[in-house]
Amino acid sequence: FLITTLLIRERGRTGRISLRGFYTRRFFRIVPVYLVTVLLYFAAVRVIGDPVKTAQFKAALPWLLGFMQEYRPAAAGNVLGHAWTLGIEEKFYLLWPIFLIAVKPAGGRALVWLVSLCISLSAFPYMYTRSYGGLLIGAILAVVLSLPAVWELFKKAPVLPDAVICLLLAAAYTLAG
């Protein structure tokens, strides 16, 4: 949601989306801290001297450095196992701005493209559907909320009490398991 909102605002301000600026900002926001984390893990493995952890780290390193942790081999164990989320995020950052630029000429049809993309994720395994699907839902919400006509609908909609909204969220959470 945030990334899409920022990209839409940039296009509104400047008339375009700067891929160079976007990728530079994303790189310096994530990669330096991530590499320090990998380096600290390496240092910890070296200090501990555990041959199993050392072998797992060696097997995981190419996948970690390529932000492809979700595809790591079993020999890599669970070295920095949470890094798979950064891999999903990085791939989204790589492709999403290009997609937004490409669908700009489509105008209102861009939303149809987004919804179709979201629905097509159901053909993939659960982890990818959940991960990329969640990112796409936020992106779709940002696109929808950037449309002036949507805000006009919100102005006309009745205001729900906070308690009703909380109950609806609790019901959705419960139904989703």
Side-chain angles (χ1 to χ4, degrees), residues 33-103:
V33 173
Y34 178 71
L35 291 177
V36 167
T37 303
V38 172
L39 188 61
L40 287 173
Y41 191 92
F42 170 74
V45 166
R46 296 290 295 186
V47 167
I48 293 169
D50 180 351
V52 172
K53 289 289 184 196
T54 301
Q56 288 177 338
F57 182 78
K58 284 181 180 177
L61 190 58
W63 305 96
L64 289 168
L65 295 178
F67 287 99
M68 301 294 278
Q69 181 70 355
E70 70 270 26
Y71 299 111
R72 72 187 180 279
N78 198 24
V79 172
L80 295 173
H82 60 285
W84 72 269
T85 62
L86 284 174
I88 298 289
E89 192 175 328
E90 288 301 307
K91 287 184 266 312
F92 177 78
Y93 289 158
L94 185 65
L95 299 175
W96 183 245
I98 296 168
F99 181 80
L100 270 184
I101 291 168
V103 298

Side-chain angles (χ1 to χ4, degrees), residues 104-142:
K104 170 65 173 145
R109 292 185 309 231
L111 194 56
V112 173
W113 280 91
L114 286 173
V115 171
S116 300
L117 188 59
C118 216
I119 290 170
S120 70
L121 280 173
S122 63
F124 292 95
Y126 174 73
M127 181 179 81
Y128 303 111
T129 302
R130 182 189 65 186
S131 303
Y132 291 110
L135 290 170
L136 282 173
I137 288 169
I140 290 169
L141 186 59

